[in-house]
Amino acid sequence: MAAIVKIEAANIMVATRYDDVVAMERDSETFSSVNPQSLVNKVMGHTMMRKDGELHARERKAIEPALRPGAVKSCWAPRLEIIFDEVVATFEKDGEADLLNALAAPMAGRALAEVLGFIDIDWQTMALWSQSLIDGAGNYSADPEISQKAEDAARGVEDAIQRALPYHRDQPNGSVLSSMLHAEDPHSLEQIYANIKVAVGGGLNEPRDSILTLLLGLLENPDQLERVKADPNLWPTAFEESVRWISPIGMYPRRVTRDVVFSGIQLHEGDQIGLCVGAANRDGSRFEAPDHFDVFREKKSHLAFGAGPHFCAGAWLARHMVGRLVVPGLFERLRNLRLARHDEVRVHGWVFRGPTTLPVTWEV
């Protein structure tokens, strides 16, 4: 595997090796998240994802109380269970479904709206906003239709925030919006707008796609599925393997701040480099038979949630929702759940990656 590969079509270099990605993540002085030219800044504002050091740390600290393991267990787990029950009830008597729109998208969209602290925003709107913001942040061709949809989504998110803020100011609670408002160093309105937009843009895709990925990995490997179902303690391990196997966030960018030779490659100040965790998580020098889904492989850390200061703040929420609630619960609720048309399953994307269809059947 080459250390750094040039993707001509996107005019970007990507780091593909596990050790290289880890090293870059831990050296923010050389490989910076700060990029004034980033379309993310234009579409979403100056988010903490495009900040390093103390600026990043302060904003992250303000949201962390809402997403810590204790908060997930005490505050969000009961609410997520209610959402899961309601979502599954809409299709469990049908005997067949495409689990993208039947399960994964509504579960992820409703959960994110709840955790952020939005009021009366349905999952379809969350999904539209998320995709529109993502498309806008990657609109390097300056397509006016994509730009307009991103602007509309940004205004929609801001309006939703404005409607919710009075409630969260008056009644402190476990939501991200409340945490931002009541932190020791509270967010400004501009910071709230930016960081909620980036959460909408990325925070829906990761759990949605990892739900489908874990289901796909287990349904394609029924022997592993039976062993996991027989030992519920294996569910968290199965989840970690699924996001290693198909990383829901496959690549994110960094800017080179100085001329440097890295892993034998000359890099120059101003170069854009993508940290391709999707490739790093299949680095054969770290993971044996990396292209295979194997719950029982030797336990090693992966990079699906990043590394270093920018480690995904929502990791514990995703781990609970996907690995302890949704996928185990689905196998309990739907008898003899199986792939319906394996040849129709599609996995797509490289910045965000996951199954785009998952047709299944079960006995009713």
Side-chain angles (χ1 to χ4, degrees), residues 162-184:
Q162 287 287 7
R163 291 198 303 273
L165 284 181
Y167 172 83
H168 295 299
R169 283 196 185 99
D170 294 342
Q171 301 186 54
N173 56 77
S175 72
V176 171
L177 274 171
S178 179
S179 186
M180 288 174 165
L181 288 170
H182 298 286
E184 182 179 342

Side-chain angles (χ1 to χ4, degrees), residues 72 77 81 84 214 232-237 239 316-330 332:
V72 171
E81 190 166 348
F84 173 69
L214 179 52
N233 291 323
L234 289 172
W235 280 113
T237 305
F239 170 74
W316 292 106
L317 183 69
R319 283 169 167 150
H320 176 84
M321 180 167 68
V322 180
R324 293 188 179 273
L325 173 62
V326 174
V327 177
L330 196 69
E332 290 181 6

Side-chain angles (χ1 to χ4, degrees), residues 3-4 15 17 19-25 27 30-31 259-267 273:
I4 296 176
R17 293 177 181 169
D19 290 342
D20 289 344
V21 172
V22 170
M24 288 176 171
E25 278 281 58
D27 183 5
T30 305
F31 302 98
D259 291 355
V260 62
V261 175
F262 183 88
S263 201
I265 305 296
Q266 176 67 59
L267 301 175
I273 190 160

